[in-house]
Amino acid sequence: MSVFDQIARPADGHAWITGGSAGIGRAVTLRLVDRGWTVHVTARDPEALEALAAERPGRIIPRPGDVTDRARMAEIVEQIEAEAPLALVLLNAGVYKPMKAQEFDAAVARLMFDVNLGGVANGLDPVLKAMIARGKGHVALTASVAGYGGLPEACAYSATKAGLIAMAESLALDLVELGVRISVVNPGFVETEATKVNDFEMPFLMQPGEAADRIVAGLERPGFEIVFPRRFAWFLRALNALPNRWKFKAWKKMGA
């Protein structure tokens, strides 16, 4: 049986989610708890985590921290592992700041690089060490269909999500022989505080609960990529397969 056929179950240990106090992460946390998991949740806001934990007392464990703090991520993994094996991890924390070329700001770009890429690496480091040593576990990275190619106003964001997709693919080449499953989660537009800043129409916009249902369903079936909505993903794949000149013209015709 391929490692991509392995499904993590609550009996295997505990789950950990970063970026879990709001949006997709919060919704996935509640879905997993309702499926029998004990979920450790990380975010920067301790009060938001405590409020979430109060919704499922004893089943949601707040683990406050900033994903850009490498030492804190290692400490959290060590604390969880002292209680139970980490069987399922969703590295979900991320930030999105729209940015056009005429508004390009290196500091804003660096923020997204540090959180979306660096923050995932900080979580992956201790998680992979623990799972590889055990020869078992499932880690998923929340990327985006924005990583399939550059989207309007998303020069830095698309770059970070493309990086996460490539990171997951590269790691899978090694992990397939080590008993550890890795998945990449590529959502389309989901209504969160981050996407509320967009001033353009977002096709196939989904609610966090619906996105969480798709993610949890993907974690519970074999495979590498969890992508939704599929029609939007197919559209972006087809668009990015065009010669660049045609692709750029297509975006302009769509109002980009």
Side-chain angles (χ1 to χ4, degrees):
M1 180 177 69
S2 167
V3 69
F4 295 109
D5 296 323
Q6 297 178 12
I7 310 300
R9 307 292 185 191
D12 298 327
H14 288 184
W16 179 39
I17 296 179
T18 64
S21 64
I24 293 174
R26 188 181 195 280
V28 171
T29 295
L30 294 172
R31 298 297 191 277
L32 289 179
V33 169
D34 291 344
R35 281 165 168 75
W37 287 91
T38 295
V39 183
H40 301 256
V41 186
T42 293
R44 291 179 298 172
D45 185 347
E47 292 184 2
L49 290 178
E50 291 293 343
L52 175 59
E55 295 191 31
R56 303 289 192 279
R59 303 298 301 281
I60 298 176
I61 314 299
R63 300 284 184 184
D66 188 325
V67 296
T68 64
D69 184 342
R70 183 163 59 92
R72 176 56 182 155
M73 295 304 101
E75 181 181 42
I76 288 173
V77 171
E78 183 179 6
Q79 291 170 346
I80 299 171
E81 285 276 319
E83 296 183 15
L86 259 178
L88 178 64
V89 172
L90 176 63
L91 298 175
N92 171 74
V95 295
Y96 164 69
K97 303 286 185 181
M99 189 163 56
K100 296 182 178 180
Q102 56 269 43
E103 301 161 349
F104 190 89
D105 185 326
V108 174
R110 180 58 184 266
L111 170 65
M112 284 184 269
F113 297 158
D114 287 348
V115 175
N116 298 359
L117 279 172
V120 168
N122 288 340
L124 270 174
D125 186 337
V127 165
L128 289 180
K129 284 182 170 64
M131 289 185 175
I132 290 171
R134 211 164 23 247
K136 188 175 184 180
H138 184 183
V139 58
L141 316 183
T142 300
S144 169
V145 295
Y148 291 166
L151 293 186
E153 301 185 28
C155 55
Y157 183 76
S158 285
T160 65
K161 297 306 183 178
L164 287 178
I165 293 170
M167 183 184 292
E169 290 175 344
S170 180
L171 288 170
L173 298 174
D174 295 322
L175 293 175
V176 71
E177 304 295 335
L178 299 171
V180 178
R181 179 182 172 189
I182 188 167
S183 298
V184 62
V185 182
N186 289 326
F189 291 111
V190 179
E191 188 170 347
T192 64
E193 289 299 317
T195 56
K196 285 181 179 179
V197 302
N198 286 336
D199 58 3
F200 54 85
E201 182 179 352
M202 293 176 281
F204 307 107
L205 181 66
M206 303 176 71
Q207 296 300 311
E210 185 180 0
D213 289 338
R214 303 287 186 94
I215 291 171
V216 172
L219 296 173
E220 293 177 344
R221 64 173 176 258
F224 170 71
E225 184 184 23
I226 301 168
V227 57
F228 56 89
R230 290 193 175 276
R231 285 179 294 171
F232 189 41
W234 291 336
F235 166 75
L236 290 177
R237 285 193 180 111
L239 186 64
N240 283 296
L242 295 173
N244 286 327
R245 181 178 298 182
W246 295 0
K247 177 173 66 175
F248 297 150
K249 284 183 178 180
W251 276 120
K252 286 302 180 183
K253 285 184 179 180
M254 289 184 286

